[in-house]
Each structure stands twice: as structure tokens, then as C-alpha cells.
Amino acid sequence: MNSSPANFVQRFLPLRLPRVCVAVIASDPAQLLDKAEGLVRDNPFLEFRLDYLPKPGLALPRIRSFFEMFPHAVVIATCRRATSGGKFRGSVASQLELLSKAAAAGCQLVDVELQTALKCKGEQLQKLRSRAALILSFHDFHGTKKLPETLEKMRNYPADFYKVVSTATTLTDNVTMMKFLEKESDRHSLVGLCMGEQGIISRVLGVRAGSAFTFASVSEEERTAPGQVTAQDLRSVYRIEQVDVATRVYGVAGDPIAHSLSPIIMNTALRRENVNAVYLALHAKALKDLLTCVREIPIHGLSITMPYKEAILKYLDNTDSHTTKIGACNTIVRAQDGKLYGFNTDTAGVVRPLEQRIPLEGARILVLGAGGAARAAVFGLKERGCEVFILNRTPAPAQKLARQAKARTIKRQDLRKLAFDVIVNATPVGMSNSGESPLHENEINAKYVFDMVYDPPETRFLKAAKARGAQIIPGIEMFVHQAARQFEIWTGKPAPWDDMLRVVTIALQERVAKAAKK
Ligand code: NAP
């Protein structure tokens, strides 16, 4: 931080800023300030994005009244120009004038982009800085590169905070950003993060690497930058206020990953059991990129999902014999020496719900499918003494699996003659309200029907099973059990099963309600 000629931060700001600044946008001044009033009790640190207003100057009297009502609020005034990624189409002079008036109305910080600084005289900036703490900002909307060089350029302009925002196109870009923060934050007050879906690591962990604070949105619909997380999620899901050097990092890696429910379920479990850890959704477009982060951040454990469950095996130092047999890994543990160990908890996800209902020894179980999840089910059920049958769209993988696991294959035309204790659907048929079912109603002859598909919560297959008088086991139970087993492997503690089931059920119901509204 540059502290000449007076310590501006001390003059304008509380000693310690909150970690989360919530960006507020609106289409008119009344809406902006109404939103701010609703937010400020739980979020004392706000950013007013004046550039989203058609006539930002009209907001100034309301901002003044806001500070009379909420003198403890801390607010950044930002009026980003369109040329720098914002919405303000006025000149540099009108931008500076507006920010100066916002400072006079009570905003303790103002944000000015490097592009604006390059276009104005040093005295203009310093005059503004005599009224409010100055955040000099730079946004790279394409990548994460030359961060030290960018800071060097910015340092030509004395400021109270230097905000360097880049775009993560790989997970490793987060490592670059955090190394930069770790190195430079001793000498300057920095705010740093990566935008984009892949920037989640820096949004949550940047504060422990040295970012003075980070930004959040009011809601998913009101994001002011790609990948921005809502303030509520940063606080209650990722517990950003508690993140410290000892916080262990876990995550789910896949491609795509945006709709994964794993962060909700795992962060709930970690919070409930007081584990100092955070669990992030990692959009890995390449396994090598993911493995760099595992080493560098470091990441202590991973859930692995599509399409990497098989491909990850060759990068692991060891796997248990069950995982080796299945040939697919959904859980990684990084040991203290950095070695990676692979497990498969999908088996627990199938076996646990079943053994809670029936004795498995000798049970006749039909598994539909012969992919990774089916393999986990077949090997796991065989180990428990079940008589396992396999039916797959393509015969060859079913025959191979049957040979390996000492199970039997059956033909679809024989189905109507056969009865089972359980039928397990291990295919994706029925996902995302496709309305499809892997079997016709008259092909279902079983006491229990277990669908691994959990979105929608009640699939067409489960409805057909109910109509045939079978008991149903929804895929959500498998999801919770496989996650619970991961939690146990990572933490050594029993998983808070009820809480995990509750949050994931609510999340799925919300998803269904949202889809119905569309
Ligand atoms: P996978 O390795 O890709 O295997 C897919 C299997 O489904 C293959 O046997 C494939 O048959 C079959 N299949 C695909 N499309 C089909 C269709 N239209 N009609 C008939 N069969 C079809 O996938 P996976 O990892 O095993 O996952 C399977 C399902 O289980 C997915 O829906 C996944 O979300 C779900 N799952 C749920 C949980 C949970 O926690 N609830 C955990 C793991 C997996 P072919 O050999 O003919 O291609």
C-alpha cells in the first residue's frame, strides 16, 4: 500500500475490512438503495455499481441518505467504463466527477481502472484519493498472465488497494493468482481473484493467500462478473470467514461440473462435523491441469466424476484391490507425502441402502448397464454373496463384466420369465426428465427397484416400479451414501447422514421447482 501523504485507509476505513464485498446492481437509484438497505445488516461491505444505472448521478442524494441511516456501512463506488468491461459510456472526466461526488455522499472507497488512470493527470487521481480510499483496478477478461508486470504498471499510480482480476481458463490459473498474492501482498494491499467458472479456487482461497477481500454477488442472476459466487454461498457453503492457513481443501472434479450437488452435501457435512476444510467444484478440462492443483494448492482429497473415473487411475500411486477390479475411481486421498490413493465409494452407495433393507447373502439382483457404476455395483454385490445378473444395451461389456465378476448375463426377452429381489438401474436412462425408463412396466418383476439416476428424484422407472407394487430406492440414497463414505475416508469421522440427505433433497426440490418455472 502506498501511504503518502496521509494514511487514507486509516482515515476512511475500519481497521479490518470484512472479507466479502457484495456487488449491488440495479436499473434505477431507488432499487439500488432499497437493495442495499436489505443487504447491509448481514453485509456491511457493499459495492455500488453506479455504471449499471442509466443516470448514475441521480443516485447521489439517495446514497447520502443511506449513510445517514447506516453510518457503519462501508461502500465502494464503482462506475466502470464500457471500454474497461463496465457499462458507463461517459467520458473519463465525468467518471471521475461522479466518483468524487459519490465519495462526498459517503462512499469510503472508489474504484478506478488502470485504463482510466492512464488517461488522466496524476493530480486528478490524487484529488479523488484525498476524498476516499482509492482502489486501482485492472481486469483481464481473457486469461491470467503477466500479473507482476501489471502490478508494476499500476504502481505508477499511488493507491490504497491494487485490484488485479484475471480470467481462469485452467484450474492452474488459480495457482498463478494465489502465488502472486502470496508474494506481493506483504508489500501492497492487494485484491486478487480469477473470474470464470474455473476461478472458484481463487474466489474462496484468495483471502488466505493475501487478497484484502473478495467480491460476491447478491444472487446468481445479479452477477457482475463471470463465475462470481453469491455472498450467501461464500459464507454459508464455503465458510469464507473461517478459511485460514490450516483449512484443508477438497473438491469434486469433472467436466462439466456446474450442476454438481457435491459441494452442497460435502460442505454441509464438513461444517456439521466442525472439520476445518472446504470443498469446491473444480471444472477440470484436462487431468494434468487438475493434478497440478492437487500438488500446488495442495488439494487433500477429490471426488472424481464423469468423464475421469477411469482415466484418473494411471495417475494414482496406489488403489485398493476393489477399485483396481472395478477399474474406476471416484475418490482420491492425497497423503502427507503427496502420494495419491484411489478408492471407489460407489460400491458403498449401492450396497449400504440395500443391506439396510434385505439380507444380501443369496439375494437375486439384476443390474442394468455395464459401465463404471454398474461395475461398482456388480463387484460390490458379488462380494456380499448376491447372485448377480447383468443386462446391458450392448452385450459385449456385459459379458466381459460377468466373466470378471463371476456374474451372469441375461437377455431382455427372458426378463418377463424372471423374478428378482432387486433391479438396479446403472444406466443414465431417465435422467433430466427425459421421461424414459430402462424397462417397461411389465418387465419389472422385483421386490425392490433401485434407480441410480437421482435427477429427477422420482424417475419414470421408479414410477413404473411403484405401479408394479415394488418398493423403490431413489438414486439420492446412493448419492448420499457414496458421499458419506468419502467423508469418512477423508476425515475419519462418521458422516452426518441425515443432514447430508436433507440438504441434497432440498437442493433437488429447488432444482425441480426452478425447472418447472421455465
Ligand atoms: P457409463 O460408464 O457411461 O455407463 C453407462 C451405461 O449405461 C453403459 O452400460 C451403457 O450401455 C448404458 N447406457 C447408456 N445409454 C443408454 C441407453 N440410452 N439405453 C440403454 N443403456 C444405455 O456411466 P456410469 O458412470 O456407469 O453411470 C451410469 C449412471 O449412474 C449415470 O446416470 C450416473 O449419473 C449414475 N450414477 C449415479 C450415482 C449416484 O450417486 N446416484 C453414482 C454413480 C453413477 P452401452 O454399453 O450399450 O453403451
Side-chain angles (χ1 to χ4, degrees), residues 198-241:
Q198 292 178 299
I200 178 77
I201 303 175
S202 69
R203 286 192 181 273
V204 176
L205 301 181
V207 286
R208 85 168 179 192
S211 182
F213 53 89
T214 193
F215 287 86
S217 65
V218 176
S219 68
E220 280 178 21
E221 294 72 32
E222 294 167 276
R223 289 182 176 144
T224 58
Q228 204 172 52
V229 181
T230 67
Q232 161 135 14
D233 280 355
L234 268 188
R235 293 219 178 81
S236 60
V237 179
Y238 301 114
R239 293 181 295 162
I240 192 165
E241 311 285 2

Side-chain angles (χ1 to χ4, degrees), residues 135-421:
I135 302 175
L136 190 68
S137 66
F138 178 79
H139 297 76
D140 180 342
F141 291 94
H142 302 289
T144 300
K145 46 189 185 299
K146 299 194 174 163
L147 302 180
E149 291 84 345
T150 302
L151 179 62
E152 206 47 45
K153 270 190 223 154
M154 296 171 89
R155 286 190 51 233
N156 290 326
Y157 303 91
D160 299 288
F161 295 91
Y162 294 101
K163 175 182 169 191
V164 182
V165 177
S166 65
T167 297
T169 57
T170 63
L171 292 170
T172 310
D173 283 340
N174 292 276
V175 177
T176 307
M177 174 58 79
M178 291 197 295
K179 282 192 173 164
F180 164 72
L181 289 169
E182 274 160 16
K183 181 153 179 256
E184 301 288 352
S185 60
D186 281 352
R187 284 181 285 166
H188 314 284
S189 271
L190 291 182
V191 177
L193 57 92
C194 300
M195 296 183 283
E197 192 196 346
Q198 292 178 299
I200 178 77
I201 303 175
S202 69
R203 286 192 181 273
V204 176
L205 301 181
V207 286
R208 85 168 179 192
S211 182
F213 53 89
T214 193
F215 287 86
S217 65
V218 176
S219 68
E220 280 178 21
E221 294 72 32
E222 294 167 276
R223 289 182 176 144
T224 58
Q228 204 172 52
V229 181
T230 67
Q232 161 135 14
D233 280 355
L234 268 188
R235 293 219 178 81
S236 60
V237 179
Y238 301 114
R239 293 181 295 162
I240 192 165
E241 311 285 2
Q242 280 90 50
V243 165
D244 60 22
V245 282
T247 302
R248 294 165 79 87
V249 183
Y250 295 91
V252 55
D255 180 19
I257 205 67
H259 289 97
S260 173
L261 292 170
S262 296
I264 292 180
I265 197 171
M266 284 301 192
N267 284 309
T268 299
L270 294 167
R271 187 180 59 227
R272 175 77 172 68
E273 293 304 309
N274 284 321
V275 181
N276 184 4
V278 65
Y279 182 98
L280 305 169
L282 307 173
H283 185 177
K285 289 188 187 154
L287 275 180
K288 288 210 166 132
D289 177 32
L290 175 68
L291 293 163
T292 305
C293 289
V294 169
R295 265 194 318 274
E296 300 270 345
I297 288 181
I299 295 175
H300 294 86
L302 281 173
S303 311
I304 299 290
T305 184
M306 305 242 272
Y308 298 125
K309 284 185 179 184
E310 287 99 25
I312 191 77
L313 283 173
K314 69 170 183 237
Y315 298 100
L316 304 178
D317 294 290
N318 208 349
T319 51
D320 65 350
S321 61
H322 183 71
T323 307
T324 312
K325 264 196 289 192
I326 296 169
C329 159
N330 77 334
T331 308
I332 294 180
V333 175
R334 183 186 185 277
Q336 274 190 341
D337 59 5
K339 288 202 166 137
L340 302 181
Y341 297 93
F343 301 89
N344 192 311
T345 69
D346 282 340
T347 298
V350 179
V351 169
R352 285 183 177 184
L354 287 177
E355 67 190 2
Q356 285 170 355
R357 290 171 167 91
I358 54 166
L360 285 180
E361 182 73 43
R364 283 167 59 86
I365 302 191
L366 169 64
V367 176
L368 306 174
R375 292 180 67 83
V378 169
F379 280 108
L381 293 168
K382 276 300 291 181
E383 276 169 20
R384 299 304 173 105
C386 302
E387 192 181 351
V388 180
F389 302 83
I390 304 165
L391 172 60
N392 190 44
R393 176 177 62 178
T394 317
Q399 284 153 2
K400 184 174 167 201
L401 174 56
R403 254 194 328 275
Q404 291 172 332
K406 300 194 172 45
R408 290 156 64 181
T409 55
I410 60 164
K411 296 202 172 79
R412 187 150 181 180
Q413 59 264 36
D414 296 333
L415 260 185
R416 285 174 213 196
K417 295 180 264 170
L418 299 168
F420 301 95
D421 291 303

